[in-house]
Amino acid sequence: MTATLRIILVLISCVTAFCIVRKIRQSSLQIEDSLFWICFVAILLIFSIFPQVPTFLSGIVGTMAPVNFIYLLIIFLLIVQLFRMTVHQSQLEAKLRSLIQEIAMDRNEQEKAEEKPEAFSRTSASECGENRGGNAESMKNAESAETKPGLEVDGR
């Protein structure tokens, strides 16, 4: 592994570590994600400090050069992270769909509950008319008394 690649790996590791620490302090990065990126930085640092490790691993995997192994490993790790994020996004979408359905059902129940008192007041007004004699004239008097203040029903 060339000295240039080693320097690049160290710089990328330091910049990534700085960004991770900054996001953790701002509380904008979850612990699970930060652990992945901390491990990613640690692997890059190990490879840049100890060039024998990627050379040995590239021999096991069968890549021609340690640089190819490092690129292959980075691509593999990023694909794994992408998969994890896709699974997490799917779970969040399912939760969102469930919450939307619950909110819609709650609103529907609230609308029904608001309609019931109106229907109940209409029913109780008609029952009041029936108690006063049940004729249409007394119901009209009751309705006009409700709409016009100061008007007495049945001469009271």
Side-chain angles (χ1 to χ4, degrees):
M1 186 179 336
T2 65
T4 306
L5 179 63
R6 291 174 66 188
I7 292 171
I8 290 172
L9 285 175
V10 169
L11 288 176
I12 290 172
S13 299
C14 291
V15 168
T16 306
F18 174 75
C19 290
I20 291 168
V21 169
R22 193 168 132 228
K23 291 293 182 182
I24 290 172
R25 285 186 180 167
Q26 295 173 350
S27 298
S28 60
L29 186 64
Q30 292 182 359
I31 299 294
E32 297 167 353
D33 296 329
S34 64
L35 290 176
F36 171 81
W37 289 109
I38 289 170
C39 291
F40 186 77
V41 167
I43 289 171
L44 288 180
L45 280 174
I46 289 170
F47 285 174
S48 60
I49 294 172
F50 304 108
Q52 303 85 0
V53 174
T55 303
F56 174 74
L57 293 174
S58 69
I60 292 174
V61 174
T63 57
M64 295 299 248
V67 175
N68 294 342
F69 171 75
I70 291 172
Y71 291 144
L72 181 68
L73 181 68
I74 289 172
I75 290 170
F76 174 74
L77 290 175
L78 292 177
I79 288 174
V80 168
Q81 178 66 4
L82 179 65
F83 178 73
R84 285 183 58 233
M85 290 174 65
T86 303
V87 168
H88 186 67
Q89 180 183 0
S90 296
Q91 291 171 346
L92 289 176
E93 286 174 355
K95 286 180 184 178
L96 180 64
R97 191 177 315 114
S98 172
L99 288 173
I100 289 171
Q101 290 172 351
E102 285 181 31
I103 289 171
M105 289 188 322
D106 288 343
R107 285 185 182 168
N108 189 17
E109 288 176 5
Q110 284 178 347
E111 288 174 2
K112 286 181 181 179
E114 289 173 359
E115 290 174 3
K116 284 183 181 181
E118 292 173 5
F120 179 72
S121 65
R122 290 181 194 150
T123 306
S124 60
S126 63
E127 287 174 359
C128 287
E130 290 173 4
N131 290 341
R132 290 188 180 142
N135 59 19
E137 188 176 322
S138 63
M139 285 187 61
K140 286 181 186 177
N141 289 338
E143 289 175 1
S144 64
E146 289 176 3
T147 57
K148 298 178 184 173
L151 188 66
E152 296 178 3
V153 179
D154 292 336
R156 293 185 216 166

